[in-house]
Amino acid sequence: MKLSVIIPCYNAGETLGLQLDALAMQKWSEPWEIIVADNGSKDNSRQVAESYQKKLPNLRVLDASARPGASFARNTAIQAAAGDAMALCDADDEVAEGWVAAMGEALSKHDFVACRMDTVKLNPRWMRGHEQEKGLQTIWYPPWLPHAGAGTMGFKRSVFDAVGGFDEAMRSLEDTEFSFQAQMNGHTLHFVPDAVIHIRRRGTLQDHYRQSRNYAEYN
């Protein structure tokens, strides 16, 4: 198996089907799989995922409910994955046409990559715009390294093993921490502009405030 697409999921019943529809449209000549790791959803997320197994014969649905948190769900799925490399995306976003092939080809050349974000398709005008639409994000304090959102990353299993997975104790910025650890272990983070994910931003000002407060705390 060349590539495993990893989707952590928690109460994403309204959007998961759109992501799986987008993945069903992907074309790549190499073998690849999809793993949805359900983190104890209280809605119909698990049922939505399982309903796609005929449409997506390369889809597996895992129970990742033993501990709360997207990091635990990602780690559980990656440990169970058959792929030599992982491409991560989120249950409330949508991969663009050609995303799987672009990520797969990039990971045949590099150990650690991140795709381009698009905030236009799924968001009102006031929610649009993100640093990772034009390149990698860069932190403003030491170690001044680039980083990427977890739902845009791709990496080989050797990178995951070197880092030890996503830090399950962190409630925010675990992707930034993973990016730093990977680079400090000698793996350069490469931007893949041809691989695009349509990002769905937080729906309310209150949600934006909570997210920003978490970012501030964990920075």
Side-chain angles (χ1 to χ4, degrees):
M1 185 71 65
K2 289 290 186 179
L3 185 70
S4 295
V5 174
I6 306 298
I7 309 175
C9 177
Y10 178 74
N11 289 350
E14 293 185 1
T15 58
L16 178 58
L18 298 173
Q19 180 67 287
L20 293 175
D21 282 333
L23 286 165
M25 299 295 291
Q26 300 291 305
K27 296 179 181 178
W28 192 39
S29 59
E30 299 289 347
W32 60 285
E33 65 174 353
I34 305 166
I35 302 178
V36 174
D38 181 51
N39 192 223
S41 297
K42 304 297 191 295
D43 67 357
N44 65 336
S45 296
R46 182 72 180 254
Q47 289 80 10
V48 170
E50 290 174 344
S51 73
Y52 276 81
Q53 287 182 308
K54 288 185 179 179
K55 187 175 183 179
L56 290 165
N58 57 338
L59 169 65
R60 287 194 282 155
V61 183
L62 298 184
D63 180 359
S65 61
R67 288 186 62 184
S71 290
F72 176 77
R74 292 188 190 103
N75 289 342
T76 298
I78 292 167
Q79 288 161 3
D84 301 320
M86 314 296 153
L88 278 56
C89 58
D90 288 333
D92 57 349
D93 298 332
E94 294 179 33
V95 298
E97 182 180 357
W99 178 82
V100 166
M103 291 293 279
E105 293 302 322
L107 285 164
S108 71
K109 302 171 185 174
H110 308 293
D111 292 343
F112 188 26
V113 303
C115 69
R116 180 164 63 88
M117 292 184 181
D118 167 72
T119 60
V120 174
K121 179 180 179 181
L122 301 180
N123 302 286
R125 187 176 298 275
W126 70 275
M127 288 187 184
R128 295 174 185 173
H130 195 282
E131 185 179 355
Q132 203 172 318
E133 289 182 312
K134 297 180 180 180
L136 296 171
Q137 304 174 59
T138 303
I139 207 68
W140 48 271
Y141 51 77
W144 293 293
L145 289 170
H147 62 102
T152 68
M153 288 181 179
F155 44 78
K156 291 181 180 174
R157 186 176 293 278
S158 58
V159 176
F160 179 83
D161 291 341
V163 173
F166 290 90
D167 188 340
E168 296 171 13
M170 296 185 71
R171 293 185 292 109
S172 185
L173 298 189
E174 71 282 357
D175 43 14
T176 302
E177 196 268 347
F178 185 98
S179 296
F180 292 169
Q181 293 288 350
Q183 291 171 89
M184 289 188 288
N185 273 279
H187 302 286
T188 301
L189 177 57
H190 295 269
F191 185 59
V192 187
D194 294 338
V196 179
I197 287 184
H198 303 297
I199 300 298
R200 194 183 309 274
R201 304 299 293 269
R202 301 300 172 101
T204 67
L205 285 173
Q206 186 178 40
D207 289 338
H208 277 282
Y209 169 75
R210 288 172 178 167
Q211 185 181 52
S212 296
R213 184 177 63 184
N214 285 337
Y215 287 167
E217 177 182 352
Y218 279 87
N219 271 311

